[in-house]
Amino acid sequence: MKLSPTHRARTPYLFHFDQQSVALGEAHFLAYIDTLLRSLDVPTQTTYWDQVYLAQMENQFGEFTSPSLLDAGAQDNSDMINSVGAPLTEPELWEKFEAAIFAQMSWPKQDEELYLPSLPEWLQNARAWEFDPVAPAQGPGNIGGWVRTRGRTGAGYPVGLFQLTDPRSFWVLGSPEDLASVHELCLEMARIRSGFQQTTAYLGHDLLFSSLALPLECRQPLEEELYIAGIDTETLFWE
């Protein structure tokens, strides 16, 4: 299956596991989600890019890094947000989104038109995955992987490359069609590049591709191949 350039609009990536939800993606998406949840007093956990940088400095320089800097991060700079988490299941998360939007409604005066606010299209179209500990592995990887719970029809959307819980591996996420093409590319690269022999696919409840797992050493060559093919990517790695 030939890789086709991606060109469709970005949306956040939502992950659900252990009664928790985490949103990844562009900072302005995450800032909006954080604001919605906080408006209902949901205790969110937000991380920032410069906190990662300061943590690396602490590891490198030890006592020369001030703890107050790590605590502060970029909490006044929404452009630096890289994740938003909340202690909510997937249904609870969407209930909070809808409730927060409804709370923004202003009741009209007599003879005025009623305005019903709605979630922005990019949030309504957000794709989501849940971690299934018994998802069968198609490949040499371990059982258990990310299974899609919300998606959008068709190929051409950005492909996500995310290092989530394991420092030695990363996940490829996207539409079933895009993942099928990336999976075929990885199997082709396995003939000439180390690491790609460990490519493992996980199918969703629809028996279509939901996620791929690869060793971290595959990151750079895969990113290069996707760039050459014109594939838009969303990435988050710990380094």
Side-chain angles (χ1 to χ4, degrees):
M1 184 180 298
K2 184 179 179 180
L3 283 166
S4 300
T6 55
H7 59 276
R8 298 188 181 182
R10 295 190 176 206
T11 63
Y13 295 76
L14 304 178
F15 298 91
H16 308 287
F17 57 98
D18 294 337
Q19 309 299 307
Q20 300 178 68
S21 296
V22 174
L24 303 178
E26 294 191 355
H28 64 101
F29 293 154
L30 303 183
Y32 183 88
I33 290 172
D34 189 45
T35 299
L36 278 185
L37 296 177
R38 287 180 180 272
S39 71
L40 296 180
D41 297 324
V42 174
T44 61
Q45 183 174 1
T46 309
T47 61
Y48 301 81
W49 282 113
D50 69 341
Q51 288 177 325
V52 175
Y53 172 72
L54 291 172
Q56 290 174 339
M57 286 183 61
E58 182 182 47
N59 290 336
Q60 183 175 0
F61 299 111
E63 68 273 15
F64 297 106
T65 302
S66 169
S68 61
L69 292 178
L70 290 172
D71 294 337
Q75 296 182 22
D76 294 326
N77 186 358
S78 60
D79 292 338
M80 296 292 286
I81 294 177
N82 62 18
S83 75
V84 176
L88 301 170
T89 63
E90 183 172 12
E92 291 171 343
L93 181 69
W94 286 99
E95 288 174 7
K96 294 295 184 183
F97 286 159
E98 296 290 350
I101 288 294
F102 183 78
Q104 296 176 6
M105 184 172 65
S106 58
W107 294 99
K109 297 179 181 178
Q110 188 175 6
D111 298 329
E112 289 184 347
E113 186 175 349
L114 177 63
Y115 168 71
L116 294 174
S118 60
L119 292 171
E121 185 177 1
W122 58 261
L123 184 52
Q124 294 179 24
N125 291 332
R127 293 173 289 178
W129 286 261
E130 66 178 357
F131 189 78
D132 183 352
V134 296
Q138 292 197 347
N142 296 326
I143 189 172
W146 293 96
V147 174
R148 186 183 303 99
T149 60
R150 299 181 86 248
R152 290 179 290 168
T153 303
Y157 293 101
V159 172
L161 305 177
F162 297 128
Q163 188 179 14
L164 296 176
T165 57
D166 183 358
R168 298 166 297 179
S169 66
F170 68 99
W171 295 85
V172 184
L173 301 155
S175 69
E177 298 86 352
D178 290 330
L179 287 180
S181 296
V182 175
H183 182 255
E184 185 171 321
L185 171 64
C186 290
L187 296 183
E188 292 176 358
M189 294 182 70
R191 303 170 186 167
I192 57 175
R193 299 296 297 260
S194 64
F196 285 92
Q197 298 82 1
Q198 299 300 311
T199 300
T200 303
Y202 297 87
L203 303 186
H205 305 299
D206 53 7
L207 300 182
L208 300 175
F209 284 97
S210 271
S211 63
L212 308 175
L214 292 101
L216 192 59
E217 65 180 293
C218 299
R219 174 195 173 181
Q220 183 175 348
L222 180 58
E223 284 185 317
E224 291 174 353
E225 290 294 326
L226 295 178
Y227 177 79
I228 293 171
I231 305 300
D232 188 19
T233 59
E234 184 96 44
T235 62
L236 190 147
F237 291 86
W238 300 351
E239 61 192 45

